[in-house]
Amino acid sequence: MDIRALISQDSFWVVNKKIVKQIGLEQALLLSILVDKVHYFESRDMGYDDGEHLWIFWTGEDIEEETCLKYRKATRILKSLEDLGLIHSK
C-alpha cells in the first residue's frame, strides 16, 4: 500500500464542529461528504440541474464505499438531513 495515498488530502474528511453540535456527528459527516460530492459534480458539469437543485446520482454501493457506513445507516442519516431541510432526495 502506498503511504502517500493513505495520507493525501483526499484521504481525509473535514467536519465542521459547529455543525456537529447542531445536527450530530454522523449527520455532519455525511453532509460534508455530500457537499464534496456536489462540488465534484458541479466542477465537471455533471448531475441534473432543474433550476432549483443540482441532482446527483449516488448508489448504495458508492455510499458504503465512500462513507464507510452501511447503506441502511446512511439511509437513516440521509432521511434525518432531509427532515432538517438540508438536502432533497428522490
Side-chain angles (χ1 to χ4, degrees):
M1 180 168 280
D2 182 10
I3 191 71
R4 290 173 293 171
L6 280 174
I7 61 174
S8 74
Q9 251 184 341
D10 292 340
S11 299
F12 292 91
W13 292 316
V14 176
V15 181
N16 185 300
K17 289 185 249 182
K18 291 179 181 180
I19 294 174
V20 170
K21 288 179 183 179
Q22 292 292 314
I23 65 174
L25 179 60
E26 291 174 331
Q27 288 80 357
L29 173 62
L30 202 51
L31 183 61
S32 177
I33 294 168
L34 273 170
V35 167
D36 286 343
K37 190 150 223 41
V38 167
H39 177 73
Y40 174 87
F41 274 73
E42 282 178 328
S43 69
R44 286 159 181 77
D45 200 26
M46 297 167 60
Y48 170 70
D49 188 346
D50 66 4
E52 189 174 345
H53 304 100
L54 175 68
W55 296 96
I56 63 170
F57 185 75
W58 204 18
T59 67
E61 186 176 286
D62 290 341
I63 290 171
E64 287 187 357
E65 175 68 27
E66 294 173 31
T67 67
C68 301
L69 295 169
K70 293 295 183 192
Y71 178 72
R72 292 183 84 156
K73 182 167 192 140
T75 300
R76 286 192 301 271
I77 296 167
L78 289 168
K79 174 73 171 112
S80 71
L81 292 173
E82 192 167 10
D83 292 345
L84 290 167
L86 298 172
I87 66 168
H88 298 282
S89 66
K90 287 186 177 183

